[in-house]
Amino acid sequence: MRYFIETGYVSLNKKGEELCGDRVETLYHEGTMTTVLADGMGSGVKANILSTLTSKIISTMMASGLSIADCVETIAQTLPICKVRQVAYSTFTILQIGVHGDAYMVQFDNPLCILLRDGKATDYPVEVNVIDGKTIYETRMQVQLGDVFVMFSDGVPHAGIGITMNLGWQQENVVKQLEEQFSPTDSAKSTAAKLAEVANALYLNEPGDDTTVAVMKVREKQTVSIMFGPPSDSKDDIPVTEKFLATDGIKIVSGGTTSKIVSKYLGSEIVTRIDYIDPKIPPIGSMKGVDLVSEGVLTLGHVMELSNMIVSKNNTDLSWLKKKDGASLIAQYLFEYATDVNFFVGRAMNPAHQNPNLPLDLSIKLKIVEVLSKNLELMGKRVNVEYH
């Protein structure tokens, strides 16, 4: 069985610092997803440089098949030595998962990764090795569908020290929180955001340390397809509609003219809701044969704005997951549900958008798709865009 490996992370800067001393690097290479969480020594610019170099070096080397011993040696030779601590590099956690479920994890001086299986923390095999004088924890295992690996920097267990908790948020408290907030439908990014938000609250929204949560989730393929705008040549209406409807998974039709084309082909009536859940976003509709019908440019423009917030590395706002307006629903399908996204983008100009008082044209539509595609790919989604 081939798995889809989803990744997501959230980083909160230490109070008063413009740069985060933690760094997450993700790389897909020859069927294997590699995520590195590096925590640079100290905070600010120096820590940011150390963690960036560490994560870049490790992810590139390990994705190329080199050993952890080679990585540690390279890091030790590359990064500067701290005159006070006599330590050359940051702490790190590395997790590689292949499409067939083989996993390899390496942990050095970061809090131990938590594996959630069926919503409960689960033990995993650990082998202790000493490389270049450093104690390294290595894990080799086969993952299962639904497994969630939660990695984090020490800003998480340190949350609340001397503020809301005497000894900070210990590992057992983090485990309990993850189990209580677990939902099998949560994406990797949402899981990371939930935990980071609680840690931030323990810091009273003023983190005393760089705080990062990185998550890898083992999923089945879930496809979402969007038909957005009519083809430039009306002769292509039926072929494009047939191709769109032949896709697996969720199907969304966006745009008035587009929905009429699909409605005519299916012989299904479009039923438009008259309630405005959000006054800024046009109401949604329904049609037998597709999962959601929405207005076009205005709605997807709001989806684009939402996507910029969703992929932001320091965003913990998940309120959009509970909303039922068209833009929020489409964002939920794309960024929570989907592993694979197909865009069928029509190049026809909409006469209604040629009014100089409505600055909406084909270039805006193409820009929306471009931004959405980029943001989806940042979250590890596989995106296919067809222009017609």
Side-chain angles (χ1 to χ4, degrees):
M1 180 178 182
R2 288 176 64 88
Y3 296 110
F4 177 85
I5 313 304
E6 182 177 72
T7 64
Y9 78 97
V10 171
S11 283
L12 306 175
N13 295 7
K14 180 180 178 180
K15 179 190 175 185
E17 297 289 355
E18 291 187 12
L19 294 175
C20 186
D22 302 335
R23 178 78 177 199
V24 177
E25 196 72 32
T26 297
L27 186 65
Y28 185 77
H29 180 73
E30 295 184 351
T32 297
M33 186 73 79
T34 301
T35 293
V36 180
L37 166 57
D39 181 354
M41 188 169 37
S43 60
V45 176
K46 179 181 177 182
N48 179 267
I49 292 171
L50 289 170
S51 62
T52 300
L53 284 170
T54 300
S55 60
K56 287 280 189 182
I57 290 169
I58 291 176
S59 60
T60 303
M61 292 183 70
M62 292 203 70
S64 300
L66 296 173
S67 70
I68 182 60
D70 291 330
C71 294
V72 171
E73 181 182 354
T74 301
I75 291 167
Q77 292 175 354
T78 303
L79 300 187
I81 299 288
C82 172
K83 293 180 181 179
V84 177
R85 299 181 180 88
Q86 293 300 304
V87 176
Y89 50 92
S90 62
T91 62
F92 55 81
T93 303
I94 308 161
L95 178 56
Q96 290 184 321
I97 305 178
V99 292
H100 297 293
D102 47 309
Y104 176 53
M105 181 161 56
V106 181
Q107 305 183 76
F108 169 60
D109 266 11
N110 269 345
L112 291 179
C113 174
I114 297 170
L115 166 60
L116 296 176
R117 181 169 287 171
D118 297 323
K120 299 297 180 183
T122 304
D123 291 335
Y124 50 84
V126 175
E127 180 181 323
V128 182
N129 293 305
V130 178
I131 300 174
D132 196 27
K134 311 301 180 192
T135 301
I136 306 290
Y137 297 92
E138 291 187 80
T139 296
R140 289 178 174 82
M141 61 181 289
Q142 283 294 124
V143 301
Q144 295 181 15
L145 190 64
D147 279 356
V148 179
F149 291 84
V150 184
M151 301 164 275
F152 43 93
S153 63
D154 58 10
V156 172
H158 288 172
I161 286 183
I163 306 172
T164 55
M165 309 181 82
N166 290 333
L167 300 175
W169 208 25
Q170 303 300 303
Q171 188 87 352
E172 58 267 28
N173 304 125
V174 179
V175 167
K176 184 179 179 182
Q177 180 66 37
L178 285 168
E179 290 180 341
E180 288 179 351
Q181 71 185 27
F182 177 80
S183 170
T185 59
D186 280 348
S187 67
K189 180 66 185 282
S190 292
T191 301
K194 283 183 177 181
L195 188 62
E197 176 62 20
V198 177
N200 194 35
L202 290 172
Y203 280 122
L204 300 182
N205 299 318
E206 295 184 346
D209 194 3
D210 296 310
T211 303
T212 297
V213 182
V215 176
M216 293 182 77
K217 181 176 181 179
V218 183
R219 297 186 53 186
E220 283 184 298
K221 178 180 177 179
Q222 304 279 6
T223 303
V224 173
S225 299
I226 297 183
M227 187 170 172
F228 179 28
S232 57
D233 189 336
S234 59
K235 294 178 185 175
D236 294 326
D237 287 359
I238 291 178
V240 172
T241 301
E242 288 177 338
K243 189 172 184 180
F244 164 70
L245 292 173
T247 59
D248 296 327
I250 298 294
K251 299 173 184 64
I252 300 169
V253 178
S254 188
T257 305
T258 315
S259 59
K260 288 176 184 176
I261 292 171
V262 177
S263 171
K264 182 179 178 181
Y265 179 84
L266 289 173
S268 298
E269 181 185 359
I270 304 169
V271 179
T272 303
R273 290 175 56 166
I274 59 173
D275 55 329
Y276 276 77
I277 297 173
D278 185 325
K280 300 189 297 293
I281 301 169
I284 59 174
S286 60
M287 181 197 313
K288 188 176 181 180
V290 301
D291 297 277
L292 179 64
V293 178
S294 79
E295 182 276 337
V297 173
L298 287 174
T299 299
L300 285 184
H302 282 289
V303 177
M304 179 184 71
E305 292 173 5
L306 262 178
S307 76
N308 288 330
M309 179 200 75
I310 292 167
V311 301
S312 170
K313 71 174 187 177
N314 57 10
N315 173 61
T316 59
D317 181 3
L318 299 177
S319 60
W320 59 280
L321 288 173
K322 299 176 182 178
K323 295 180 179 178
K324 300 300 180 183
D325 61 87
S328 296
L329 289 174
I330 293 174
Q332 290 161 26
Y333 279 132
L334 293 178
F335 289 91
E336 283 292 291
Y337 176 84
T339 61
D340 294 69
V341 178
N342 299 312
F343 286 102
F344 295 81
V345 186
R347 294 181 183 269
M349 298 294 288
N350 188 335
H353 295 166
Q354 302 315 300
N355 185 327
N357 297 318
L358 289 173
L360 307 171
D361 57 15
L362 179 60
S363 64
I364 297 296
K365 181 162 61 175
L366 299 183
K367 181 64 177 178
I368 289 171
V369 173
E370 178 188 338
V371 172
L372 285 175
S373 299
K374 181 196 72 173
N375 287 340
L376 286 164
E377 288 171 348
L378 282 174
M379 288 187 65
K381 316 286 188 181
R382 293 176 292 223
V383 181
N384 177 59
V385 183
E386 293 185 13
Y387 295 99
H388 298 282

